[in-house]
Amino acid sequence: MEKNAKIYIAGHTGLVGSAILRALQAQGYSKYLLHTIEELDLTRQSVVDDLFKQECPDYVILAAAKVGGIQANNTYPADFIYINLQLESNIIHSAYQYGVKKLCFLGSSCIYPKYAQQPMKEDYLLDGKLEPTNESYAIAKIAGIKMCQAYNRQYSTNFISVMPTNLYGPHDNFDLQSSHVLPALIRKFVDARKSSAPSATVWGTGSPKREFLFVDDLADAVIFLMNHYDDGEIVNIGTGKDISILELASLIKEEVGFNGTIEFDSTKPDGTPRKLLDVTKLNQLGWTAKTPLREGIRKTIQWYLENK
Ligand code: GDP
């Protein structure tokens, strides 16, 4: 990407989009197209069409999405499939129609089958049944990948798709009902410490394993791939390491400085037993994650304390 190219970041106020904007700015990219969800409803095709017609962006980072943790996905499956299908379909089609040089579609590690062999390689996509708690979201993301590949094949576009593992960092959603586990546990332990509660509650059994990537690392990987990867085949983005939810809870408890105990609410779902990405392809392309989990958690706690 040329430093003076016009880059449209769809979803620039979210966890992922804001990190990509910070990273692009730090690397000297100077021209952006940015609109908040209040200004532009990306689920409306005519709105997206007008935007591309008027602004003609050179590059597109498709980070806009309706996202949420296990409970939100499980409770609002219609919203997750409708909103995500609409906005990605509108943006990918307009990117083709208005001659965007390259687009990066942000997917998710939940596109892989529930019982996929671990770590999950890119070619396990569509090899088995999905995890039911986030099937709607996963189907929408798979449709986005397949759209990018179809446009590349039929229209010779340069649309790439990346699959990040579970992300966390500044600007995350800390709402206890709709967030992912890492921000939820930061909030729960901070609140428990403040109120001197004897314990804090973790959902499920604590035994599922997840991989966590600091969002600034993800942003760096996306820019790296925009500059060094031109292929429709998906690329995993992760650290290659996972930990159990109990281990994660213990780590956050320690970093927050909460001295009480951890309790488990087994009425809440565990979701998929393990989600670890195989990142061999990304490593071979020349990129590896930099931020150790403890350091990323420390930075996220600090951001939470200063901003929430
Ligand atoms: P997932 O990776 O799609 O399952 O999404 P989450 O990040 O929401 O959940 C990951 C795991 O953490 C699941 O096993 C949850 O049951 C568990 N978990 C434990 N405590 C919490 C919590 O307070 N909030 C959320 N969202 N998940 C939690």
Side-chain angles (χ1 to χ4, degrees):
M1 289 188 293
E2 311 77 37
K3 293 280 153 115
N4 62 350
K6 190 192 269 190
I7 304 172
Y8 173 37
I9 306 174
H12 75 283
T13 57
L15 171 70
V16 170
S18 63
I20 292 173
L21 178 58
R22 278 196 303 278
L24 285 169
Q25 285 169 332
Q27 292 186 28
Y29 292 92
S30 55
K31 249 200 234 159
Y32 302 100
L33 178 56
L34 308 168
H35 287 285
T36 64
I37 194 164
E38 288 75 28
E39 290 161 4
L40 282 186
D41 180 355
L42 299 174
T43 65
R44 303 281 157 224
Q45 192 175 12
S46 58
V47 169
V48 176
D49 189 84
D50 286 348
L51 177 73
F52 277 76
K53 197 187 294 173
Q54 283 158 22
E55 298 286 348
C56 295
D58 297 305
Y59 296 96
V60 174
I61 313 275
L62 210 178
K66 178 168 177 63
V67 296
I70 192 164
Q71 177 146 298
N73 269 279
N74 208 14
T75 314
Y76 307 108
D79 296 352
F80 277 86
I81 198 162
Y82 171 72
I83 294 171
N84 288 312
L85 277 178
Q86 290 287 105
L87 67 83
E88 69 199 25
S89 169
N90 292 339
I91 293 173
I92 291 167
H93 186 69
S94 286
Y96 148 65
Q97 273 197 312
Y98 295 100
V100 163
K101 291 183 190 167
K102 187 166 180 176
L103 171 147
C104 179
F105 174 65
L106 275 291
S108 160
S109 60
C110 71
I111 55 149
Y112 292 112
K114 173 168 181 156
Y115 295 112
Q117 200 185 318
Q118 304 287 323
M120 301 183 288
K121 291 187 197 300
E122 284 86 354
D123 65 1
Y124 297 170
L125 176 62
L126 294 176
D127 252 4
K129 290 202 169 111
L130 297 164
E131 155 62 31
T133 53
N134 56 28
E135 189 180 32
S136 281
Y137 178 75
I139 291 279
K141 288 293 180 185
I142 293 169
I145 296 167
K146 291 295 165 191
M147 255 188 104
C148 288
Q149 293 174 346
Y151 279 69
N152 289 346
R153 191 149 68 90
Q154 189 175 337
Y155 298 122
S156 302
T157 47
N158 187 3
F159 295 168
I160 65 169
S161 298
V162 302
M163 300 305 122
T165 192
N166 290 35
L167 301 168
Y168 70 98
H171 299 276
D172 208 340
N173 168 20
F174 289 83
D175 173 79
L176 290 182
Q177 295 312 311
S178 60
S179 64
H180 283 101
V181 60
L182 198 148
L185 295 186
I186 289 180
R187 180 167 175 176
K188 284 178 180 176
F189 287 122
V190 167
D191 287 353
R193 189 193 62 191
K194 278 192 185 147
S195 65
S196 304
S199 64
T201 305
V202 172
W203 292 354
T205 59
S207 62
K209 294 187 85 178
R210 295 287 184 275
E211 174 188 14
F212 297 95
L213 179 70
F214 190 56
V215 74
D216 287 3
D217 283 7
L218 180 267
D220 192 59
V222 166
I223 298 169
F224 173 82
L225 291 169
M226 281 301 275
N227 285 317
H228 296 100
Y229 184 74
D230 295 310
D231 196 306
E233 291 302 322
I234 61 177
V235 185
N236 290 339
I237 305 181
T239 62
K241 291 178 216 121
D242 62 351
I243 65 167
S244 73
I245 298 301
L246 172 58
E247 286 168 315
L248 176 75
S250 308
L251 184 53
I252 297 176
K253 176 177 139 125
E254 207 177 297
E255 285 301 321
V256 165
F258 171 62
N259 295 320
T261 56
I262 297 174
E263 289 193 347
F264 292 95
D265 176 359
S266 55
T267 65
K268 291 285 196 293
D270 268 344
T272 201
R274 194 171 178 209
K275 234 192 309 186
L276 175 64
L277 292 178
D278 184 311
V279 287
T280 309
K281 183 172 175 177
L282 182 61
N283 293 164
Q284 282 173 351
L285 286 165
W287 190 92
T288 41
K290 288 165 202 70
T291 312
L293 183 57
R294 188 181 286 275
E295 184 187 325
I297 287 176
R298 212 171 272 169
K299 285 184 177 165
T300 310
I301 293 172
Q302 192 184 344
W303 186 89
Y304 175 70
L305 294 173
E306 284 166 6
N307 293 278
K308 292 283 167 176

